[in-house]
Amino acid sequence: MAIRKAEIKEIDSIIHIIKSGIIHMESKEIYQWDDSYPSREIIGQDISHGTLYASVENKIITGIIVLNDDQAREYGELNWNYVSGKQLVIHRLCVDPKYQGMGIAKSLINFAEGFARDNNYKSIRLDAFTKNKAACKLYEKVGYEKVGIVNFRKGKFFCFEKGFSNIHLVEKNIEEIKLIKPLWEQLNSIHIEKSIHFKTKYENFIFSKRMEAIYEKAQNGIIKIDMVFDSATNKYVGYCLSSIENNSGEIESIYIEKQYRKFGIGGQLMESALTWFKANGITNIQIGVVYANDETLPFYERYGFYIGNYLLKRNQYF
């Protein structure tokens, strides 16, 4: 699939996608767009300004997205987290219903984020109809945070944003795994604090012992290490450690320093791990969560992870 600027000769195809999208949304009682918006005139202006991009597969346009600096007046009513530098705004993201469910919307969003980084934007802003649950869920899944609600002609819309700073995901190999040690120890401290019945276990748990199991998995399977690097401070501030063994996947450990949370970094780590599992044909994936650390569950649920059963362990210190 390619994503490129649309041409004016393609406007009929784009309008057809939009009209099909409206019919599809209305079948789900989502009355977000109509004959007035987005109009042929608006789409023509988007194309003429060079701000409308199309996803193309086998010469067929499957979706569109508009990227520019234009912010609705109502955006000024909200307290945005990222106010310095330039903000890129996403408008009129639409995927032909015939091609929905194939990851095209996500690819268009990824394209927008790459465009933002390449053109020195500090954040992306957008709005989504509150009744369009699928769209809102997608934005949250890929790391966008709700800022507030604004009112447009068709009703209430959530406003989302995602910031870009000096943060980068860096993949490491098994020989570099010791880089995660300071972060793993911070995570273990949280486990000590949260654990109700096994505090002593975590107090006696050391990094080298935990790594023994990881090295064993590396011998029998494969390991993926993603780290979050802040080039402004020249330090690693988060990581995700994943494994594949015997056709099963596991997110072994994931952690981000507190001051770097709510920037969508956790979502990037999860997406990287899940993409890796998918590329390796792995569908059986699990995550272990310390009992009483319930505040992490909604995050994992956004990616389709739910409590399957309870595994009870006898406390050897009992």
Side-chain angles (χ1 to χ4, degrees), residues 142-164:
V142 295
Y144 287 77
E145 298 286 335
K146 287 178 183 174
V147 178
I149 295 177
V150 294
N151 290 295
F152 291 136
R153 179 174 61 91
K154 300 294 286 186
K156 295 182 182 297
F157 286 69
F158 287 122
C159 284
F160 293 86
E161 70 175 339
K162 185 174 184 178
F164 301 99

Side-chain angles (χ1 to χ4, degrees), residues 25 30 32 128-138 158:
M25 287 190 289
I30 301 171
Q32 174 179 338
F129 193 40
T130 56
K131 295 182 180 179
N132 193 338
K133 305 297 185 183
C136 294
K137 183 178 180 180
L138 172 63
F158 287 122

Side-chain angles (χ1 to χ4, degrees), residues 7 17 60 62 84 87 93 104 108 118 142 176 184 290 306 310 317:
E7 301 178 27
I17 289 172
I60 297 173
T62 58
S84 62
Q87 291 87 38
L93 172 58
I104 295 171
L108 288 166
D118 292 344
V142 295
E176 300 172 286
W184 180 89
V290 171
Y306 298 92
Y310 290 101
Y317 302 101

